[in-house]
Amino acid sequence: MSTASFHQPGRPGDLPHPGLLWAHSRIELGAYRLLEARPEDTFDYDPVGTTYTRGGFTLGPHGTHFDNSAGCWWRLTWVEGGRAVLTGWEPLGQDTIEEELDLLAGGPGWLPWEWLDTLIARYLHEQMGVSFLYWWDGAVWGRTDYPDAVRDDGLVTVEGYGTPERLLGFLSVQFSDDDHHRAVAADLLRHVAEGGGDARAWALFRELYGTDRVDLDAARALLGADWFTRRDDPMPAGTPSATPRRRRVLKTADWQAMVARAMRAAAEAPRPAPAETEELRTLRGALRSLAAERGGELTFTVACERGAMSFPELVDASGEALEPPWEDRMLPWRLRGAEAHPEHGSWYFLRAVATAADVVVERAYDHWPAWGWRSGHFPDRMFPPRLSDLRDEMAARAPRWRPEWVRLLDDETRYDPPTDV
């Protein structure tokens, strides 16, 4: 299989029969354990599926796994009925992750859906993600359709596996580049992939690695006499869902941008002023004292949400930044919690304009004011508050205190976004 045979992004036709990938893993791992393993080496991966103890091939409850120790990995998992799933990641295959592509969309009903969904979510959370997923139905490979924006899925990290050239190239033993060794490697791969008898597999293995290096009795004792014929236990087939998976139209960033635009354009519903709290008295008193000390007007702004506070900023009339005059750095966030109302909800943005005589406080519950700042990338390098927090906040409010843009927080927006925002 030449370099030109692997496309970017990958195509199902690029891949060899899964039996050849599996055979490659058994041969190479067997040779490593027999000829090079150190006492501290282990050969099983974490059952959770995202932690590996060494580079190269490892085995586990979910198939055979390869890690090149530089971030690239792939895993072949057998599924009952002679079927298989190939998953993996390669740094240059980030397009599918950045596009938030559902790699299972359009997949056959027999896929182990729940396990794959969990696997993908765990990798995305704990490591870099899963950049490709292909399925073998017993006859051909398949994958979900890719949009034009996907230029690479990283399948090239599997390139050459299951071929004699790759097998010879990765064995630690130095082989002569001759027709004999290539023929033996090809015969061994094919024989193991097709589940041929043990005697023939062991004979080819010994011939490939050299009679002076492989003692068959010791090899069988270490690896197990059925090393080349023992198949991994297949994963149970899944159950087709009554509801087909739909392709998301909006990426998370685009969804956030839509909500941000709606919040910017919204108006604030009139509310009764919150009851006086100790936190508000502390904030007002500190700002008023500092304004008197500096002899001018001060403006304090902050953005808060559940569990987070961002961009607290205090400036004087000239725009010079000042340190907030309170020891408790989370005072504004605690003020938000103290002012939360069971029907009116909680504010997201607060501005306090202070002079020596008074402090005028303005709160934004329903819109994103022009003076409000948050970290991120839209607009003006800002994101809105977390969508999950917005959903929880709006669900807790009485219906009459929910702004019109609350409809955009429904997950349905990702699949069928409105055109008027």
Side-chain angles (χ1 to χ4, degrees):
M1 196 171 289
S2 67
T3 301
S5 67
F6 264 69
H7 299 85
Q8 291 179 305
R11 301 176 186 175
D14 295 341
L15 290 167
H17 190 285
L20 289 170
L21 295 177
W22 180 85
H24 194 136
S25 73
R26 302 300 288 191
I27 297 166
E28 191 166 315
L29 178 56
Y32 182 88
R33 290 184 61 182
L34 184 65
L35 303 175
E36 290 193 58
R38 298 176 294 274
E40 67 272 15
D41 279 337
T42 56
F43 305 98
D44 296 331
Y45 62 74
D46 188 322
V48 170
T50 58
T51 303
Y52 303 95
T53 55
R54 59 175 293 273
F57 284 101
T58 47
L59 304 174
H62 305 135
T64 182
H65 183 279
F66 176 79
D67 191 314
N68 73 350
S69 299
C72 303
W73 63 270
W74 58 266
R75 177 192 294 160
L76 179 71
T77 302
W78 291 105
V79 182
E80 62 182 355
R83 297 168 294 206
V85 178
L86 181 72
T87 50
W89 181 79
E90 203 274 345
L92 297 180
Q94 290 279 47
D95 288 354
T96 56
I97 297 172
E98 291 175 359
E99 291 296 314
E100 299 181 11
L101 189 66
D102 182 359
L103 297 175
L104 292 167
W110 54 263
L111 287 175
W113 298 93
E114 184 176 353
W115 175 73
L116 287 169
D117 274 329
T118 301
L119 175 79
I120 292 170
R122 184 175 290 128
Y123 262 102
L124 193 60
H125 175 69
E126 297 180 9
Q127 299 189 27
M128 299 303 296
V130 175
S131 66
F132 62 83
L133 187 155
Y134 289 69
W135 52 79
W136 172 263
D137 65 4
V140 295
W141 287 103
R143 64 158 167 78
T144 191
D145 294 331
Y146 290 167
D148 292 341
V150 174
R151 296 161 296 177
D152 194 358
D153 64 354
L155 186 67
V156 291
T157 199
V158 188
E159 182 179 7
Y161 286 97
T163 68
E165 292 79 12
R166 184 82 176 204
L167 182 63
L168 294 177
F170 272 77
L171 296 179
S172 57
V173 180
Q174 294 299 313
F175 292 96
S176 300
D177 185 15
D178 57 40
D179 291 341
H180 172 71
H181 284 102
R182 285 194 296 274
V184 173
D187 199 10
L188 177 58
L189 278 166
R190 183 172 57 254
H191 191 76
V192 175
E194 294 173 354
D198 282 327
R200 176 63 175 161
W202 283 111
L204 288 168
F205 182 78
R206 186 166 185 256
E207 184 178 355
L208 181 63
Y209 283 91
T211 57
D212 58 329
R213 293 174 60 87
V214 177
D215 180 297
L216 289 184
D217 291 336
R220 289 191 181 101
L222 176 67
L223 302 175
D226 61 347
W227 178 255
F228 294 117
T229 56
R230 184 173 71 243
R231 291 271 178 161
D232 306 323
D233 292 334
M235 184 163 289
T239 303
S241 172
T243 305
R245 295 170 75 101
R246 296 183 296 165
R247 189 180 298 281
R248 292 189 292 266
V249 176
L250 290 181
K251 292 187 291 184
T252 299
D254 296 330
W255 188 12
Q256 290 172 317
M258 177 176 286
V259 173
R261 288 194 298 272
M263 291 182 71
R264 281 294 202 193
E268 190 71 16
R271 279 176 173 76
E276 187 80 5
T277 65
E278 184 60 34
E279 290 80 4
L280 182 61
R281 284 190 289 271
T282 300
L283 183 140
R284 275 182 165 155
L287 288 176
R288 191 166 50 242
S289 295
L290 184 59
E293 177 185 324
R294 294 186 64 88
E297 184 178 273
L298 307 176
T299 302
F300 174 73
T301 55
V302 69
C304 292
E305 58 190 288
R306 182 179 56 194
M309 182 179 77
S310 60
F311 276 79
E313 185 177 68
L314 177 63
V315 298
D316 63 16
S318 70
E320 180 186 352
L322 308 173
E323 282 294 317
W326 42 77
E327 294 183 5
D328 181 2
R329 295 300 179 186
M330 295 302 290
L331 175 63
W333 181 78
R334 292 197 302 105
L335 172 63
R336 180 182 190 260
E339 293 188 342
H341 190 279
E343 292 187 0
H344 303 163
S346 301
W347 51 262
Y348 279 100
F349 302 94
L350 178 140
R351 175 167 65 176
V353 180
T355 64
D358 194 15
V359 178
V360 178
V361 179
E362 181 181 357
R363 304 165 181 84
Y365 293 73
D366 308 315
H367 79 297
W368 188 349
W371 48 260
W373 289 91
R374 280 184 49 79
S375 59
H377 306 291
F378 178 89
D380 300 324
R381 301 190 62 78
M382 291 186 289
F383 276 155
R386 292 186 298 264
L387 300 186
S388 58
D389 184 74
L390 286 171
R391 275 196 295 267
D392 292 345
E393 162 67 18
M394 298 305 162
R397 292 184 186 182
R400 64 164 297 203
W401 297 107
R402 297 170 189 165
E404 190 275 338
W405 52 259
V406 72
R407 62 190 173 94
L408 301 178
L409 302 178
D410 194 302
D411 195 55
E412 181 66 21
T413 302
R414 305 194 68 177
Y415 300 94
D416 186 19
T419 58
D420 59 343
V421 180

PDB file of all heavy atoms in Angstrom, residues 133-155:
ATOM      1  N   LEU A 133     -13.433   7.692  12.653  1.00  0.00           N
ATOM      2  CA  LEU A 133     -14.164   6.497  13.040  1.00  0.00           C
ATOM      3  C   LEU A 133     -14.671   5.840  11.754  1.00  0.00           C
ATOM      4  O   LEU A 133     -15.419   6.460  10.988  1.00  0.00           O
ATOM      5  CB  LEU A 133     -15.326   6.836  13.972  1.00  0.00           C
ATOM      6  CG  LEU A 133     -16.093   5.666  14.599  1.00  0.00           C
ATOM      7  CD1 LEU A 133     -16.748   6.108  15.907  1.00  0.00           C
ATOM      8  CD2 LEU A 133     -17.163   5.094  13.681  1.00  0.00           C
ATOM      9  N   TYR A 134     -14.242   4.604  11.536  1.00  0.00           N
ATOM     10  CA  TYR A 134     -14.655   3.819  10.363  1.00  0.00           C
ATOM     11  C   TYR A 134     -15.258   2.507  10.851  1.00  0.00           C
ATOM     12  O   TYR A 134     -14.849   1.975  11.882  1.00  0.00           O
ATOM     13  CB  TYR A 134     -13.461   3.534   9.452  1.00  0.00           C
ATOM     14  CG  TYR A 134     -12.946   4.750   8.699  1.00  0.00           C
ATOM     15  CD1 TYR A 134     -12.301   5.791   9.365  1.00  0.00           C
ATOM     16  CD2 TYR A 134     -13.097   4.851   7.315  1.00  0.00           C
ATOM     17  CE1 TYR A 134     -11.825   6.910   8.682  1.00  0.00           C
ATOM     18  CE2 TYR A 134     -12.629   5.962   6.617  1.00  0.00           C
ATOM     19  CZ  TYR A 134     -11.999   6.990   7.312  1.00  0.00           C
ATOM     20  OH  TYR A 134     -11.540   8.089   6.621  1.00  0.00           O
ATOM     21  N   TRP A 135     -16.221   1.993  10.119  1.00  0.00           N
ATOM     22  CA  TRP A 135     -16.832   0.720  10.500  1.00  0.00           C
ATOM     23  C   TRP A 135     -16.728  -0.287   9.358  1.00  0.00           C
ATOM     24  O   TRP A 135     -16.812   0.047   8.180  1.00  0.00           O
ATOM     25  CB  TRP A 135     -18.294   0.919  10.917  1.00  0.00           C
ATOM     26  CG  TRP A 135     -19.130   1.669   9.918  1.00  0.00           C
ATOM     27  CD1 TRP A 135     -19.684   1.194   8.765  1.00  0.00           C
ATOM     28  CD2 TRP A 135     -19.515   3.050   9.993  1.00  0.00           C
ATOM     29  NE1 TRP A 135     -20.386   2.170   8.117  1.00  0.00           N
ATOM     30  CE2 TRP A 135     -20.310   3.326   8.854  1.00  0.00           C
ATOM     31  CE3 TRP A 135     -19.283   4.068  10.928  1.00  0.00           C
ATOM     32  CZ2 TRP A 135     -20.856   4.590   8.611  1.00  0.00           C
ATOM     33  CZ3 TRP A 135     -19.826   5.322  10.680  1.00  0.00           C
ATOM     34  CH2 TRP A 135     -20.602   5.567   9.542  1.00  0.00           C
ATOM     35  N   TRP A 136     -16.530  -1.552   9.738  1.00  0.00           N
ATOM     36  CA  TRP A 136     -16.421  -2.682   8.808  1.00  0.00           C
ATOM     37  C   TRP A 136     -17.654  -3.551   8.996  1.00  0.00           C
ATOM     38  O   TRP A 136     -17.906  -4.067  10.083  1.00  0.00           O
ATOM     39  CB  TRP A 136     -15.151  -3.477   9.099  1.00  0.00           C
ATOM     40  CG  TRP A 136     -15.020  -4.767   8.344  1.00  0.00           C
ATOM     41  CD1 TRP A 136     -15.347  -6.010   8.790  1.00  0.00           C
ATOM     42  CD2 TRP A 136     -14.507  -4.934   7.015  1.00  0.00           C
ATOM     43  NE1 TRP A 136     -15.074  -6.957   7.821  1.00  0.00           N
ATOM     44  CE2 TRP A 136     -14.557  -6.312   6.711  1.00  0.00           C
ATOM     45  CE3 TRP A 136     -14.019  -4.055   6.049  1.00  0.00           C
ATOM     46  CZ2 TRP A 136     -14.130  -6.838   5.499  1.00  0.00           C
ATOM     47  CZ3 TRP A 136     -13.595  -4.573   4.835  1.00  0.00           C
ATOM     48  CH2 TRP A 136     -13.653  -5.929   4.565  1.00  0.00           C
ATOM     49  N   ASP A 137     -18.445  -3.695   7.940  1.00  0.00           N
ATOM     50  CA  ASP A 137     -19.705  -4.431   8.069  1.00  0.00           C
ATOM     51  C   ASP A 137     -19.576  -5.910   7.730  1.00  0.00           C
ATOM     52  O   ASP A 137     -20.576  -6.617   7.647  1.00  0.00           O
ATOM     53  CB  ASP A 137     -20.780  -3.792   7.193  1.00  0.00           C
ATOM     54  CG  ASP A 137     -20.469  -3.892   5.699  1.00  0.00           C
ATOM     55  OD1 ASP A 137     -19.457  -4.520   5.330  1.00  0.00           O
ATOM     56  OD2 ASP A 137     -21.253  -3.331   4.896  1.00  0.00           O
ATOM     57  N   GLY A 138     -18.351  -6.369   7.571  1.00  0.00           N
ATOM     58  CA  GLY A 138     -18.113  -7.751   7.180  1.00  0.00           C
ATOM     59  C   GLY A 138     -17.693  -7.876   5.736  1.00  0.00           C
ATOM     60  O   GLY A 138     -17.213  -8.933   5.310  1.00  0.00           O
ATOM     61  N   ALA A 139     -17.852  -6.793   4.979  1.00  0.00           N
ATOM     62  CA  ALA A 139     -17.484  -6.814   3.561  1.00  0.00           C
ATOM     63  C   ALA A 139     -16.709  -5.575   3.144  1.00  0.00           C
ATOM     64  O   ALA A 139     -15.719  -5.668   2.400  1.00  0.00           O
ATOM     65  CB  ALA A 139     -18.734  -6.963   2.697  1.00  0.00           C
ATOM     66  N   VAL A 140     -17.138  -4.386   3.617  1.00  0.00           N
ATOM     67  CA  VAL A 140     -16.488  -3.137   3.219  1.00  0.00           C
ATOM     68  C   VAL A 140     -16.425  -2.183   4.408  1.00  0.00           C
ATOM     69  O   VAL A 140     -17.201  -2.291   5.355  1.00  0.00           O
ATOM     70  CB  VAL A 140     -17.244  -2.450   2.055  1.00  0.00           C
ATOM     71  CG1 VAL A 140     -17.197  -3.292   0.793  1.00  0.00           C
ATOM     72  CG2 VAL A 140     -18.677  -2.141   2.456  1.00  0.00           C
ATOM     73  N   TRP A 141     -15.486  -1.225   4.322  1.00  0.00           N
ATOM     74  CA  TRP A 141     -15.403  -0.169   5.306  1.00  0.00           C
ATOM     75  C   TRP A 141     -16.362   0.967   4.949  1.00  0.00           C
ATOM     76  O   TRP A 141     -16.670   1.183   3.773  1.00  0.00           O
ATOM     77  CB  TRP A 141     -13.981   0.422   5.350  1.00  0.00           C
ATOM     78  CG  TRP A 141     -12.944  -0.448   5.986  1.00  0.00           C
ATOM     79  CD1 TRP A 141     -11.992  -1.197   5.351  1.00  0.00           C
ATOM     80  CD2 TRP A 141     -12.736  -0.653   7.393  1.00  0.00           C
ATOM     81  NE1 TRP A 141     -11.207  -1.860   6.266  1.00  0.00           N
ATOM     82  CE2 TRP A 141     -11.636  -1.530   7.532  1.00  0.00           C
ATOM     83  CE3 TRP A 141     -13.370  -0.171   8.542  1.00  0.00           C
ATOM     84  CZ2 TRP A 141     -11.151  -1.948   8.770  1.00  0.00           C
ATOM     85  CZ3 TRP A 141     -12.892  -0.579   9.779  1.00  0.00           C
ATOM     86  CH2 TRP A 141     -11.807  -1.456   9.890  1.00  0.00           C
ATOM     87  N   GLY A 142     -16.815   1.697   5.969  1.00  0.00           N
ATOM     88  CA  GLY A 142     -17.655   2.865   5.758  1.00  0.00           C
ATOM     89  C   GLY A 142     -17.365   3.914   6.816  1.00  0.00           C
ATOM     90  O   GLY A 142     -16.710   3.642   7.824  1.00  0.00           O
ATOM     91  N   ARG A 143     -17.825   5.113   6.576  1.00  0.00           N
ATOM     92  CA  ARG A 143     -17.727   6.199   7.551  1.00  0.00           C
ATOM     93  C   ARG A 143     -18.822   7.206   7.254  1.00  0.00           C
ATOM     94  O   ARG A 143     -19.501   7.130   6.217  1.00  0.00           O
ATOM     95  CB  ARG A 143     -16.351   6.881   7.511  1.00  0.00           C
ATOM     96  CG  ARG A 143     -16.022   7.596   6.197  1.00  0.00           C
ATOM     97  CD  ARG A 143     -14.962   8.646   6.424  1.00  0.00           C
ATOM     98  NE  ARG A 143     -14.362   9.186   5.219  1.00  0.00           N
ATOM     99  CZ  ARG A 143     -14.923  10.091   4.426  1.00  0.00           C
ATOM    100  NH1 ARG A 143     -16.151  10.534   4.674  1.00  0.00           N
ATOM    101  NH2 ARG A 143     -14.279  10.553   3.358  1.00  0.00           N
ATOM    102  N   THR A 144     -19.005   8.174   8.158  1.00  0.00           N
ATOM    103  CA  THR A 144     -19.982   9.220   7.915  1.00  0.00           C
ATOM    104  C   THR A 144     -19.507  10.112   6.768  1.00  0.00           C
ATOM    105  O   THR A 144     -18.318  10.151   6.440  1.00  0.00           O
ATOM    106  CB  THR A 144     -20.201  10.077   9.182  1.00  0.00           C
ATOM    107  OG1 THR A 144     -21.319  10.921   8.995  1.00  0.00           O
ATOM    108  CG2 THR A 144     -18.979  10.935   9.485  1.00  0.00           C
ATOM    109  N   ASP A 145     -20.429  10.812   6.154  1.00  0.00           N
ATOM    110  CA  ASP A 145     -20.068  11.761   5.102  1.00  0.00           C
ATOM    111  C   ASP A 145     -19.398  12.979   5.713  1.00  0.00           C
ATOM    112  O   ASP A 145     -19.830  13.469   6.772  1.00  0.00           O
ATOM    113  CB  ASP A 145     -21.311  12.196   4.319  1.00  0.00           C
ATOM    114  CG  ASP A 145     -21.934  11.053   3.533  1.00  0.00           C
ATOM    115  OD1 ASP A 145     -21.179  10.136   3.136  1.00  0.00           O
ATOM    116  OD2 ASP A 145     -23.160  11.072   3.323  1.00  0.00           O
ATOM    117  N   TYR A 146     -18.376  13.480   5.077  1.00  0.00           N
ATOM    118  CA  TYR A 146     -17.667  14.655   5.563  1.00  0.00           C
ATOM    119  C   TYR A 146     -18.099  15.896   4.779  1.00  0.00           C
ATOM    120  O   TYR A 146     -18.236  15.845   3.552  1.00  0.00           O
ATOM    121  CB  TYR A 146     -16.152  14.505   5.372  1.00  0.00           C
ATOM    122  CG  TYR A 146     -15.485  13.502   6.255  1.00  0.00           C
ATOM    123  CD1 TYR A 146     -14.177  13.087   5.988  1.00  0.00           C
ATOM    124  CD2 TYR A 146     -16.121  12.947   7.365  1.00  0.00           C
ATOM    125  CE1 TYR A 146     -13.524  12.163   6.789  1.00  0.00           C
ATOM    126  CE2 TYR A 146     -15.481  12.022   8.173  1.00  0.00           C
ATOM    127  CZ  TYR A 146     -14.174  11.628   7.872  1.00  0.00           C
ATOM    128  OH  TYR A 146     -13.540  10.724   8.674  1.00  0.00           O
ATOM    129  N   PRO A 147     -18.268  17.025   5.453  1.00  0.00           N
ATOM    130  CA  PRO A 147     -18.481  18.286   4.728  1.00  0.00           C
ATOM    131  C   PRO A 147     -17.174  18.737   4.081  1.00  0.00           C
ATOM    132  O   PRO A 147     -16.096  18.239   4.403  1.00  0.00           O
ATOM    133  CB  PRO A 147     -18.923  19.247   5.826  1.00  0.00           C
ATOM    134  CG  PRO A 147     -18.300  18.709   7.076  1.00  0.00           C
ATOM    135  CD  PRO A 147     -18.310  17.208   6.913  1.00  0.00           C
ATOM    136  N   ASP A 148     -17.262  19.680   3.172  1.00  0.00           N
ATOM    137  CA  ASP A 148     -16.081  20.144   2.441  1.00  0.00           C
ATOM    138  C   ASP A 148     -15.017  20.736   3.369  1.00  0.00           C
ATOM    139  O   ASP A 148     -13.830  20.736   3.039  1.00  0.00           O
ATOM    140  CB  ASP A 148     -16.484  21.196   1.400  1.00  0.00           C
ATOM    141  CG  ASP A 148     -17.307  20.604   0.273  1.00  0.00           C
ATOM    142  OD1 ASP A 148     -17.265  19.358   0.105  1.00  0.00           O
ATOM    143  OD2 ASP A 148     -17.991  21.360  -0.424  1.00  0.00           O
ATOM    144  N   ALA A 149     -15.448  21.235   4.538  1.00  0.00           N
ATOM    145  CA  ALA A 149     -14.494  21.875   5.454  1.00  0.00           C
ATOM    146  C   ALA A 149     -13.505  20.882   6.050  1.00  0.00           C
ATOM    147  O   ALA A 149     -12.452  21.290   6.566  1.00  0.00           O
ATOM    148  CB  ALA A 149     -15.254  22.592   6.572  1.00  0.00           C
ATOM    149  N   VAL A 150     -13.805  19.589   6.005  1.00  0.00           N
ATOM    150  CA  VAL A 150     -12.901  18.577   6.549  1.00  0.00           C
ATOM    151  C   VAL A 150     -11.867  18.228   5.486  1.00  0.00           C
ATOM    152  O   VAL A 150     -12.164  17.559   4.501  1.00  0.00           O
ATOM    153  CB  VAL A 150     -13.671  17.314   6.992  1.00  0.00           C
ATOM    154  CG1 VAL A 150     -12.691  16.226   7.423  1.00  0.00           C
ATOM    155  CG2 VAL A 150     -14.616  17.641   8.137  1.00  0.00           C
ATOM    156  N   ARG A 151     -10.648  18.682   5.703  1.00  0.00           N
ATOM    157  CA  ARG A 151      -9.572  18.431   4.750  1.00  0.00           C
ATOM    158  C   ARG A 151      -8.699  17.246   5.167  1.00  0.00           C
ATOM    159  O   ARG A 151      -7.970  16.690   4.357  1.00  0.00           O
ATOM    160  CB  ARG A 151      -8.705  19.671   4.610  1.00  0.00           C
ATOM    161  CG  ARG A 151      -9.438  20.869   4.016  1.00  0.00           C
ATOM    162  CD  ARG A 151      -8.699  22.162   4.316  1.00  0.00           C
ATOM    163  NE  ARG A 151      -8.665  22.410   5.758  1.00  0.00           N
ATOM    164  CZ  ARG A 151      -8.033  23.428   6.315  1.00  0.00           C
ATOM    165  NH1 ARG A 151      -7.375  24.285   5.558  1.00  0.00           N
ATOM    166  NH2 ARG A 151      -8.038  23.585   7.634  1.00  0.00           N
ATOM    167  N   ASP A 152      -8.762  16.879   6.449  1.00  0.00           N
ATOM    168  CA  ASP A 152      -7.949  15.770   6.945  1.00  0.00           C
ATOM    169  C   ASP A 152      -8.616  15.206   8.186  1.00  0.00           C
ATOM    170  O   ASP A 152      -9.109  15.965   9.034  1.00  0.00           O
ATOM    171  CB  ASP A 152      -6.538  16.249   7.271  1.00  0.00           C
ATOM    172  CG  ASP A 152      -5.554  15.099   7.465  1.00  0.00           C
ATOM    173  OD1 ASP A 152      -5.986  13.929   7.383  1.00  0.00           O
ATOM    174  OD2 ASP A 152      -4.364  15.361   7.690  1.00  0.00           O
ATOM    175  N   ASP A 153      -8.672  13.888   8.293  1.00  0.00           N
ATOM    176  CA  ASP A 153      -9.227  13.263   9.498  1.00  0.00           C
ATOM    177  C   ASP A 153      -8.191  12.453  10.253  1.00  0.00           C
ATOM    178  O   ASP A 153      -8.500  11.854  11.284  1.00  0.00           O
ATOM    179  CB  ASP A 153     -10.436  12.386   9.159  1.00  0.00           C
ATOM    180  CG  ASP A 153     -10.083  11.192   8.266  1.00  0.00           C
ATOM    181  OD1 ASP A 153      -8.918  11.100   7.811  1.00  0.00           O
ATOM    182  OD2 ASP A 153     -10.971  10.361   8.016  1.00  0.00           O
ATOM    183  N   GLY A 154      -6.951  12.419   9.744  1.00  0.00           N
ATOM    184  CA  GLY A 154      -5.885  11.725  10.448  1.00  0.00           C
ATOM    185  C   GLY A 154      -5.794  10.243  10.176  1.00  0.00           C
ATOM    186  O   GLY A 154      -5.002   9.546  10.809  1.00  0.00           O
ATOM    187  N   LEU A 155      -6.582   9.726   9.229  1.00  0.00           N
ATOM    188  CA  LEU A 155      -6.542   8.285   8.961  1.00  0.00           C
ATOM    189  C   LEU A 155      -5.156   7.833   8.507  1.00  0.00           C
ATOM    190  O   LEU A 155      -4.822   6.653   8.638  1.00  0.00           O
ATOM    191  CB  LEU A 155      -7.586   7.917   7.906  1.00  0.00           C
ATOM    192  CG  LEU A 155      -7.750   6.412   7.651  1.00  0.00           C
ATOM    193  CD1 LEU A 155      -8.339   5.716   8.872  1.00  0.00           C
ATOM    194  CD2 LEU A 155      -8.618   6.145   6.418  1.00  0.00           C
TER     195      LEU A 155
END
